[in-house]
Amino acid sequence: MSILSQEFLDHFFDHGNKTPAATLGLPLASTDMLFDYYKNYKASTDMMFDYFKNYKTELIPDALVDYYKNYTASADNMLFDYYKNYKTELIPDALVEAVPEEHHDTVIIVAVCLAILVVFSIVKPLFDLMFSGRQPRSSKTVPPMGPTFDELVEYWKKGEPAYWALRTFRELEQESDDRCCGVFEVQTSYILRFFLGGRVFLARDGPTVRKILEEPSTLKWKQGYQMLKDISGSAFGDNFLSESDNDWRWKHVRKSTNTAFSPANIRLISRNVISKIVDEWMDNTLATMKEGQPIDIHYQMKLVTAKVIVRAAFDYELPEKEAALVLKHMETCGWEFGAKSLGDPLRSMSLTRWMYKGIREARESTGYLRTFCRKLLAHHHASLQESSSSSSKSGQQSLIIDFLINDANYKNDDERISDMIMYMGAGFDTTAGTLAFALLELAKNPAEQETLRRALVQQQQQNKQQSCPPELKHVVRETLRLHVATANGSGRIIKQDISVDGSPYVIPAGSIVTIPLFAVLRNGEVYQDPDEFIPSRWETPSEQMMQTFIPFATGSRNCQGQALANAEMEVVLSKLIANYEFKVVEEGTTTCPMTHYPVGMSLSAHKKIGQIQQQQPQQKENSIKSRELVFDDPVTPANKQGSGDDDDADVFNIMEVLLKLLKSKDE
């Protein structure tokens, strides 16, 4: 309204020559009451804009606020003073005299309606020009229309946007071959496009998705990553994950921390951190449970991965009670700022979101996470002061927290804490869900579990401690395909036209493209039986399969910690499957508010009977407690690797253990 005030003045008024009544020709009465109402309205509008200005909301850009302020002073006040000082009657005197007094109210109503029509006739073309000018269809063939944005929002509220995307793609395939192009447009109104930032498309076609993610000019869709900013504390600005591609913040963070994810450092983390924590969990949790007792394996994997990331990244031994609190507050933030806020615009607006109890609780959870990370910073500073040796000494892994502290591009510790929350959340939540799904699929497929166990035993008997058997890699890869952690994918704003491979369609520049990885990795045109767990499909993968396999995304904004995630999954699965057999107690369901994970799923762990070979002295120096299982089954290939009689070998091993126990007792 206020932006148009100056336009009204310029277009309709010739100051000093014409009055508003003569120019507009619109009959209105009761000017004093009308302008008193306008003044009150303007005062409340000023308060609203001040609120947006103070809280730096994304809904109203700073430029628009400044524009409003300037023209409020110059245009609105001048217009208001003009009417108040001169008491200009908007209803011409001739019309007042011609119309009986009892019909004046009717004339006022008609005049107001005409004024609304005039304003609408001016504003509507401006809006149409704004929206259609940003994404002109021109002569290009745009991908077909799919469901409405409202339908997507409904599924997002339930934490099921990835499932909706997969189902929609499959329904469009069945409707017509012409629509089977791997891309469709979500139906959105002009006003919704204005707030979202453009037209919305969903893409699952592998080559097209790669072009979008790897195109240098493509930007992250900032509104889609607002939830990450909220989790780390929106009052402290963006973190390195929510920052857009045209900003420098994410670049300096990734550049300074890349060494922490180098192959050499990942090997050190696997040896010094992951193996120790998994062994402790097996001794303290699995070994103390009754045979067949149900285990909430997803929660247990979250405890394990939380301890791993906090120890490996921030050099802090995380107690189980404190780990439980971190998991609780992270889950609260994920649901409130993720699924619920994205599905309800009022939860996203700074002006109204404070009314929701869930949002207030999520902000308290954010406060706890920031306090926890500040504690990690203080703990690390204290440990550095106590010891003159740095954490990068020989045999010790490099720490993310060291790189964050030494990065001079940070303005303050508040920015560091925001990034620490992102590293912590991304480091345990996604990996824990994938591990839980891997154990579930192996429990549902006993033959696959037994194949993996035999491969692990054979590899361990051959003393290939640093190698990973191909069967394990296939299980990890198939789990990432079938149950990708970031099932909802990511959103990008494309700055140039993107052609859809194998079709005449073109996604126009300026559009928002959402990439639901859950649908990408379950594409029936690429993967045979896409909903089935078949690790052997990766023995001889096709080029199309490899091109489409992007569980960690691709391009400059791909997952920085994918090497650590893979190493963690390989170490955990190798230790668990080699020593335990898992069976399904309750399969449960799944959800994906922010990440994809199981709900209500429980397994039982059954100890495998066999020999635990003693580790070599040099392995003890490396703090590796490797459990190497040899089956008593005479047909097991592993037993045929040794020499001599099996019973003699059993006696020899028992005697060796007894001698070592006696020796330790004497010492």
Side-chain angles (χ1 to χ4, degrees):
M1 172 187 285
S2 299
I3 296 174
L4 295 176
S5 299
Q6 182 62 35
E7 296 181 7
F8 279 133
L9 288 173
D10 294 339
H11 185 71
F12 292 111
F13 294 92
D14 182 7
H15 302 295
N17 297 326
K18 296 182 180 179
T19 65
T23 305
L24 294 174
L26 300 177
L28 285 174
S30 306
T31 56
D32 290 340
M33 182 184 299
L34 175 64
F35 287 111
D36 288 340
Y37 179 83
Y38 173 76
K39 178 177 281 187
N40 294 333
Y41 171 78
K42 189 173 74 64
S44 63
T45 307
D46 290 343
M47 290 175 61
M48 181 182 71
F49 274 94
D50 288 339
Y51 182 90
F52 280 124
K53 183 71 173 176
N54 293 337
Y55 286 88
K56 298 181 180 179
T57 181
E58 300 294 338
L59 298 179
I60 299 184
D62 292 343
L64 180 57
V65 176
D66 295 337
Y67 188 85
Y68 172 84
K69 290 291 187 182
N70 294 335
Y71 279 99
T72 297
S74 61
D76 292 343
N77 292 342
M78 183 169 60
L79 176 63
F80 183 82
D81 293 339
Y82 180 83
Y83 284 123
K84 290 296 289 184
N85 294 336
Y86 294 97
K87 302 280 185 180
T88 304
E89 295 289 345
L90 294 180
I91 301 179
D93 294 338
L95 181 61
V96 174
E97 295 174 356
V99 178
E101 185 176 354
E102 61 269 18
H103 295 303
H104 281 184
D105 291 340
T106 303
V107 172
I108 292 173
I109 293 173
V110 173
V112 170
C113 293
L114 290 174
I116 293 173
L117 289 175
V118 171
V119 172
F120 182 78
S121 65
I122 296 173
V123 173
K124 177 64 167 61
L126 293 176
F127 272 72
D128 289 344
L129 180 62
M130 181 187 302
F131 296 128
S132 61
R134 185 180 303 178
Q135 305 98 349
R137 279 189 172 264
S138 66
S139 60
K140 301 167 186 173
T141 305
V142 179
M145 281 286 185
T148 63
F149 189 81
D150 291 339
E151 184 177 337
L152 171 58
V153 168
E154 288 301 316
Y155 280 93
W156 210 303
K157 289 180 182 178
K158 298 184 288 186
E160 301 176 357
Y163 314 145
W164 170 84
L166 177 62
R167 183 166 55 252
T168 302
F169 274 114
R170 291 181 176 176
E171 289 174 355
L172 293 179
E173 282 182 359
Q174 295 175 358
E175 287 181 12
S176 173
D177 292 337
D178 183 54
R179 307 189 73 174
C180 181
C181 65
V183 179
F184 70 83
E185 182 177 3
V186 180
Q187 297 181 38
T188 53
S189 64
Y190 285 126
I191 295 178
L192 185 59
R193 292 180 191 177
F194 172 72
F195 286 106
L196 293 176
R199 296 161 64 181
V200 180
F201 293 83
L202 262 66
R204 74 161 182 180
D205 177 67
T208 305
V209 167
R210 276 191 172 274
K211 281 194 291 186
I212 293 170
L213 294 176
E214 295 175 358
E215 169 57 43
S217 64
T218 299
L219 302 179
K220 245 184 177 182
W221 180 36
K222 201 162 188 175
Q223 291 91 326
Y225 289 87
Q226 178 65 32
M227 54 186 172
L228 297 180
K229 182 178 178 181
D230 290 334
I231 291 174
S232 65
S234 57
F236 301 95
D238 281 296
N239 54 66
F240 80 103
L241 290 182
S242 65
E243 195 68 83
S244 182
D245 288 71
N246 57 357
D247 294 315
W248 60 273
R249 171 82 182 278
W250 70 272
K251 295 180 181 179
H252 84 75
V253 175
R254 288 195 63 150
K255 183 178 180 181
S256 64
T257 57
N258 271 338
T259 304
F261 301 99
S262 65
N265 202 55
I266 295 299
R267 286 193 294 270
L268 290 174
I269 292 174
S270 298
R271 185 184 67 189
N272 298 341
V273 179
I274 303 175
S275 291
K276 288 183 178 180
I277 290 176
V278 175
D279 285 341
E280 290 173 2
W281 178 77
M282 292 172 66
D283 292 337
N284 300 332
T285 302
L286 282 187
T288 60
M289 288 185 170
K290 295 180 180 180
E291 186 80 7
Q293 179 180 345
I295 307 169
D296 184 352
I297 201 67
H298 178 235
Y299 179 75
Q300 292 298 326
M301 289 298 99
K302 286 200 295 184
L303 288 176
V304 170
T305 54
K307 291 181 179 180
V308 168
I309 189 62
V310 172
R311 174 65 183 86
F314 308 126
D315 195 26
Y316 180 76
E317 298 288 346
L318 185 63
E320 189 162 325
K321 289 185 178 180
E322 195 169 20
L325 284 174
V326 171
L327 297 179
K328 173 189 173 184
H329 289 295
M330 192 68 76
E331 184 175 3
T332 299
C333 290
W335 266 103
E336 286 297 330
F337 293 136
K340 294 183 179 180
S341 292
L342 288 172
D344 185 352
L346 293 179
R347 284 179 178 265
S348 303
M349 297 175 61
S350 299
L351 187 63
T352 55
R353 66 188 321 183
W354 59 271
M355 299 185 298
Y356 292 89
K357 180 181 178 182
I359 291 293
R360 296 196 296 272
E361 291 175 349
R363 285 177 169 172
E364 292 176 1
S365 294
T366 295
Y368 173 85
L369 295 175
R370 296 193 68 86
T371 302
F372 174 72
C373 288
R374 194 174 294 279
K375 171 185 174 181
L376 297 182
L377 273 175
H379 173 269
H380 191 63
H381 282 301
S383 64
L384 290 178
Q385 291 177 356
E386 291 175 2
S387 175
S388 59
S389 60
S390 66
S391 62
S392 59
K393 62 184 179 181
S394 178
Q396 180 69 36
Q397 74 274 6
S398 300
L399 301 170
I400 291 177
I401 194 170
D402 283 329
F403 297 116
L404 297 181
I405 290 174
N406 295 327
D407 189 344
N409 289 309
Y410 279 106
K411 297 178 181 178
N412 48 49
D413 281 347
D414 285 330
E415 285 191 352
R416 292 184 175 90
I417 288 172
S418 295
D419 291 347
M420 289 171 67
I421 293 175
M422 290 296 101
Y423 275 118
M424 185 170 59
F428 76 82
D429 199 24
T430 54
T431 308
T434 305
L435 283 169
F437 278 123
L439 293 171
L440 173 64
E441 291 295 344
L442 290 171
K444 289 166 57 179
N445 298 272
E448 296 289 354
Q449 185 176 175
E450 186 63 23
T451 298
L452 176 59
R453 184 176 295 109
R454 291 177 183 273
L456 290 169
V457 170
Q458 185 175 8
Q459 179 253 1
Q460 290 171 350
Q461 281 222 308
Q462 294 173 355
N463 293 323
K464 296 180 179 178
Q465 297 296 330
Q466 300 301 324
S467 64
C468 176
E471 291 82 358
L472 178 56
K473 290 186 177 292
H474 297 161
V475 167
V476 170
R477 182 167 287 183
E478 181 67 356
T479 305
L480 288 171
R481 183 198 68 82
L482 193 61
H483 300 288
V484 56
T486 53
N488 300 330
S490 57
R492 296 290 191 270
I493 298 179
I494 58 175
K495 292 299 183 181
Q496 62 182 24
D497 293 346
I498 299 292
S499 60
V500 180
D501 279 26
S503 77
Y505 298 120
V506 175
I507 307 175
S511 300
I512 302 164
V513 183
T514 299
I515 302 166
L517 294 179
F518 193 76
V520 173
L521 295 170
R522 292 197 183 206
N523 189 344
E525 296 179 351
V526 179
Y527 303 99
Q528 187 176 4
D529 299 323
D531 298 326
E532 300 297 324
F533 181 75
I534 310 174
S536 59
R537 75 170 81 239
W538 296 104
E539 293 175 0
T540 55
S542 66
E543 183 179 352
Q544 191 178 18
M545 289 171 59
M546 297 304 296
Q547 284 288 320
T548 308
F549 185 72
I550 49 172
F552 299 104
T554 184
S556 60
R557 301 301 295 270
N558 66 345
C559 176
Q560 187 184 20
Q562 55 185 289
L564 176 60
N566 279 320
E568 196 169 354
M569 287 185 283
E570 290 172 1
V571 172
V572 173
L573 290 176
S574 65
K575 287 179 174 290
L576 293 182
I577 298 302
N579 291 275
Y580 290 89
E581 179 183 4
F582 291 89
K583 297 181 180 180
V584 178
V585 177
E586 183 66 41
E587 187 171 345
T589 59
T590 63
T591 187
C592 56
M594 282 186 62
T595 60
H596 185 216
Y597 60 87
V599 177
M601 183 261 284
S602 59
L603 305 178
S604 61
H606 305 264
K607 189 74 172 70
K608 296 300 293 185
I609 305 300
Q611 305 170 1
I612 305 296
Q613 293 186 350
Q614 299 301 316
Q615 57 193 90
Q616 301 297 325
Q618 63 201 47
Q619 293 172 335
K620 289 185 179 180
E621 292 176 5
N622 294 335
S623 303
I624 299 179
K625 299 195 325 183
S626 177
R627 293 169 167 83
E628 296 186 336
L629 187 65
V630 180
F631 291 99
D632 293 331
D633 184 359
V635 301
T636 301
N639 279 335
K640 298 181 181 180
Q641 300 292 332
S643 60
D645 187 76
D646 292 334
D647 293 334
D648 293 339
D650 289 340
V651 173
F652 177 79
N653 286 326
I654 293 172
M655 292 178 63
E656 185 180 11
V657 171
L658 290 174
L659 287 172
K660 290 192 175 184
L661 288 174
L662 290 172
K663 184 179 179 181
S664 63
K665 183 177 180 181
D666 292 337
E667 292 175 352

